[in-house]
CSV table of all heavy atoms in Angstrom, one decimal:
chain,number,residue,atom,x,y,z
A,1,LYS,N,63.5,145.0,113.4
A,1,LYS,CA,64.1,144.1,112.4
A,1,LYS,C,63.0,143.6,111.5
A,1,LYS,O,63.3,143.2,110.3
A,1,LYS,CB,64.8,142.9,113.1
A,1,LYS,CG,66.1,143.3,113.9
A,1,LYS,CD,66.7,142.1,114.6
A,1,LYS,CE,67.3,141.2,113.5
A,1,LYS,NZ,68.1,140.1,114.2
A,2,LEU,N,61.8,143.6,111.9
A,2,LEU,CA,60.7,143.1,111.1
A,2,LEU,C,60.0,144.1,110.2
A,2,LEU,O,59.6,143.9,109.1
A,2,LEU,CB,59.6,142.4,111.9
A,2,LEU,CG,60.1,141.2,112.8
A,2,LEU,CD1,59.0,140.7,113.7
A,2,LEU,CD2,60.6,140.0,111.9
A,3,ASP,N,59.8,145.3,110.9
A,3,ASP,CA,59.0,146.4,110.2
A,3,ASP,C,60.1,147.2,109.4
A,3,ASP,O,60.7,148.1,109.9
A,3,ASP,CB,58.4,147.2,111.2
A,3,ASP,CG,57.5,148.3,110.6
A,3,ASP,OD1,57.5,148.4,109.4
A,3,ASP,OD2,56.7,148.9,111.4
A,4,LYS,N,60.1,146.9,108.1
A,4,LYS,CA,61.1,147.6,107.2
A,4,LYS,C,60.9,149.1,107.0
A,4,LYS,O,61.8,149.8,106.8
A,4,LYS,CB,61.2,146.9,105.8
A,4,LYS,CG,61.4,145.4,105.8
A,4,LYS,CD,62.7,145.1,106.5
A,4,LYS,CE,63.0,143.6,106.6
A,4,LYS,NZ,64.2,143.3,107.3
A,5,GLY,N,59.6,149.5,107.2
A,5,GLY,CA,59.4,150.9,107.1
A,5,GLY,C,59.5,151.7,108.4
A,5,GLY,O,59.4,152.9,108.4
A,6,ALA,N,59.8,151.0,109.5
A,6,ALA,CA,59.9,151.6,110.8
A,6,ALA,C,61.1,152.6,110.8
A,6,ALA,O,60.9,153.7,111.4
A,6,ALA,CB,60.0,150.6,111.9
A,7,VAL,N,62.2,152.3,110.3
A,7,VAL,CA,63.4,153.2,110.3
A,7,VAL,C,63.1,154.5,109.7
A,7,VAL,O,63.4,155.6,110.2
A,7,VAL,CB,64.6,152.5,109.7
A,7,VAL,CG1,65.7,153.4,109.6
A,7,VAL,CG2,65.0,151.2,110.5
A,8,LYS,N,62.4,154.4,108.5
A,8,LYS,CA,62.1,155.7,107.8
A,8,LYS,C,61.1,156.5,108.5
A,8,LYS,O,61.3,157.7,108.6
A,8,LYS,CB,61.6,155.3,106.4
A,8,LYS,CG,61.3,156.6,105.6
A,8,LYS,CD,60.8,156.2,104.1
A,8,LYS,CE,60.5,157.4,103.3
A,8,LYS,NZ,60.0,157.0,101.9
A,9,ARG,N,60.1,155.9,109.0
A,9,ARG,CA,59.1,156.6,109.8
A,9,ARG,C,59.6,157.3,111.0
A,9,ARG,O,59.3,158.4,111.4
A,9,ARG,CB,57.9,155.7,110.2
A,9,ARG,CG,57.0,155.2,109.0
A,9,ARG,CD,55.8,154.6,109.5
A,9,ARG,NE,55.9,153.5,110.5
A,9,ARG,CZ,56.1,152.3,110.2
A,9,ARG,NH1,56.1,151.9,108.9
A,9,ARG,NH2,56.2,151.3,111.1
A,10,GLU,N,60.5,156.5,111.8
A,10,GLU,CA,61.0,157.1,113.0
A,10,GLU,C,62.0,158.2,112.6
A,10,GLU,O,62.1,159.2,113.4
A,10,GLU,CB,61.8,155.9,113.7
A,10,GLU,CG,62.3,156.3,115.1
A,10,GLU,CD,61.2,156.7,116.1
A,10,GLU,OE1,60.0,156.2,115.8
A,10,GLU,OE2,61.5,157.3,117.1
A,11,ALA,N,62.7,158.0,111.5
A,11,ALA,CA,63.7,159.1,111.1
A,11,ALA,C,62.9,160.4,110.8
A,11,ALA,O,63.3,161.5,111.2
A,11,ALA,CB,64.5,158.7,109.9
A,12,GLU,N,61.8,160.3,110.1
A,12,GLU,CA,61.0,161.5,109.8
A,12,GLU,C,60.5,162.1,111.1
A,12,GLU,O,60.5,163.4,111.2
A,12,GLU,CB,59.8,161.1,108.9
A,12,GLU,CG,60.3,160.7,107.5
A,12,GLU,CD,59.2,160.1,106.7
A,12,GLU,OE1,58.0,159.9,107.3
A,12,GLU,OE2,59.3,159.9,105.5
A,13,LYS,N,60.1,161.3,112.1
A,13,LYS,CA,59.6,161.8,113.3
A,13,LYS,C,60.6,162.5,114.1
A,13,LYS,O,60.4,163.6,114.7
A,13,LYS,CB,59.0,160.7,114.2
A,13,LYS,CG,58.2,161.1,115.4
A,13,LYS,CD,57.9,160.0,116.4
A,13,LYS,CE,57.3,158.8,115.7
A,13,LYS,NZ,57.0,157.7,116.7
A,14,ILE,N,61.9,161.9,114.1
A,14,ILE,CA,62.9,162.5,114.9
A,14,ILE,C,63.4,163.8,114.2
A,14,ILE,O,63.7,164.9,114.9
A,14,ILE,CB,64.1,161.5,115.0
A,14,ILE,CG1,63.8,160.4,115.9
A,14,ILE,CG2,65.4,162.2,115.4
A,14,ILE,CD1,64.8,159.3,115.9
A,15,SER,N,63.5,163.9,112.9
A,15,SER,CA,63.9,165.1,112.2
A,15,SER,C,62.9,166.3,112.4
A,15,SER,O,63.4,167.4,112.4
A,15,SER,CB,64.1,164.8,110.7
A,15,SER,OG,65.1,163.9,110.4
A,16,ALA,N,61.7,166.0,112.7
A,16,ALA,CA,60.7,167.0,113.0
A,16,ALA,C,60.8,167.6,114.4
A,16,ALA,O,60.0,168.5,114.7
A,16,ALA,CB,59.3,166.4,112.7
A,17,LYS,N,61.6,167.0,115.2
A,17,LYS,CA,61.7,167.5,116.6
A,17,LYS,C,62.3,168.9,116.7
A,17,LYS,O,63.1,169.3,115.9
A,17,LYS,CB,62.5,166.5,117.5
A,17,LYS,CG,61.8,165.2,117.7
A,17,LYS,CD,62.7,164.3,118.6
A,17,LYS,CE,62.1,162.9,118.8
A,17,LYS,NZ,60.9,163.0,119.7
A,18,GLU,N,61.8,169.7,117.7
A,18,GLU,CA,62.3,171.0,117.9
A,18,GLU,C,63.8,170.9,118.3
A,18,GLU,O,64.2,169.8,118.8
A,18,GLU,CB,61.5,171.7,119.0
A,18,GLU,CG,60.1,172.0,118.6
A,18,GLU,CD,59.4,172.7,119.7
A,18,GLU,OE1,60.0,173.2,120.7
A,18,GLU,OE2,58.1,172.8,119.7
A,19,ASP,N,64.5,172.0,118.2
A,19,ASP,CA,65.9,172.1,118.6
A,19,ASP,C,66.0,171.8,120.1
A,19,ASP,O,65.2,172.3,120.9
A,19,ASP,CB,66.6,173.4,118.2
A,19,ASP,CG,66.6,173.6,116.7
A,19,ASP,OD1,66.5,172.6,116.0
A,19,ASP,OD2,66.9,174.8,116.3
A,20,PHE,N,67.2,171.2,120.5
A,20,PHE,CA,67.4,170.9,121.9
A,20,PHE,C,68.3,172.0,122.5
A,20,PHE,O,69.2,172.6,121.7
A,20,PHE,CB,68.0,169.5,122.1
A,20,PHE,CG,67.0,168.4,121.9
A,20,PHE,CD1,66.9,167.9,120.6
A,20,PHE,CD2,66.3,167.9,122.9
A,20,PHE,CE1,66.1,166.8,120.4
A,20,PHE,CE2,65.4,166.9,122.7
A,20,PHE,CZ,65.3,166.3,121.4
A,21,ASP,N,68.3,172.2,123.8
A,21,ASP,CA,69.3,173.0,124.5
A,21,ASP,C,70.6,172.1,124.7
A,21,ASP,O,71.7,172.5,124.5
A,21,ASP,CB,68.8,173.5,125.8
A,21,ASP,CG,67.6,174.5,125.6
A,21,ASP,OD1,67.8,175.4,124.8
A,21,ASP,OD2,66.6,174.4,126.2
A,22,VAL,N,70.3,170.8,125.1
A,22,VAL,CA,71.4,169.9,125.4
A,22,VAL,C,70.9,168.6,124.8
A,22,VAL,O,69.8,168.0,125.1
A,22,VAL,CB,71.6,169.7,126.9
A,22,VAL,CG1,72.6,168.5,127.1
A,22,VAL,CG2,72.2,170.9,127.5
A,23,LEU,N,71.8,168.0,124.0
A,23,LEU,CA,71.6,166.7,123.4
A,23,LEU,C,72.7,165.8,123.7
A,23,LEU,O,73.9,166.1,123.6
A,23,LEU,CB,71.5,166.8,121.8
A,23,LEU,CG,71.1,165.5,121.1
A,23,LEU,CD1,69.8,164.9,121.5
A,23,LEU,CD2,71.2,165.6,119.6
A,24,ILE,N,72.3,164.6,124.3
A,24,ILE,CA,73.4,163.7,124.8
A,24,ILE,C,73.4,162.5,123.9
A,24,ILE,O,72.4,161.9,123.6
A,24,ILE,CB,73.1,163.2,126.3
A,24,ILE,CG1,73.1,164.5,127.2
A,24,ILE,CG2,74.1,162.2,126.7
A,24,ILE,CD1,72.0,164.4,128.3
A,25,VAL,N,74.6,162.2,123.4
A,25,VAL,CA,74.8,161.0,122.6
A,25,VAL,C,75.3,159.9,123.4
A,25,VAL,O,76.5,159.9,123.9
A,25,VAL,CB,75.7,161.3,121.4
A,25,VAL,CG1,75.9,160.0,120.5
A,25,VAL,CG2,75.3,162.5,120.6
A,26,GLY,N,74.5,158.9,123.7
A,26,GLY,CA,74.9,157.8,124.6
A,26,GLY,C,73.9,157.7,125.7
A,26,GLY,O,73.5,158.7,126.4
A,27,GLY,N,73.4,156.4,126.0
A,27,GLY,CA,72.4,156.2,127.0
A,27,GLY,C,72.8,155.3,128.1
A,27,GLY,O,72.0,154.7,128.8
A,28,GLY,N,74.2,155.3,128.4
A,28,GLY,CA,74.6,154.5,129.5
A,28,GLY,C,74.5,155.3,130.8
A,28,GLY,O,73.9,156.4,130.9
């Protein structure tokens, strides 16, 4: 909430990840 550039930096890092075999949406 404080670091306004954090979202963009994290998005770039996530987009650079290799393809997954299984990706789960939801962490419950």
Side-chain angles (χ1 to χ4, degrees):
K1 291 183 71 171
L2 300 174
D3 187 354
K4 302 305 181 183
V7 174
K8 183 179 179 180
R9 291 196 304 271
E10 189 65 18
E12 291 173 350
K13 189 193 308 183
I14 289 174
S15 292
K17 291 180 181 289
E18 296 179 12
D19 293 347
F20 289 92
D21 293 312
V22 172
L23 182 63
I24 299 142
V25 180

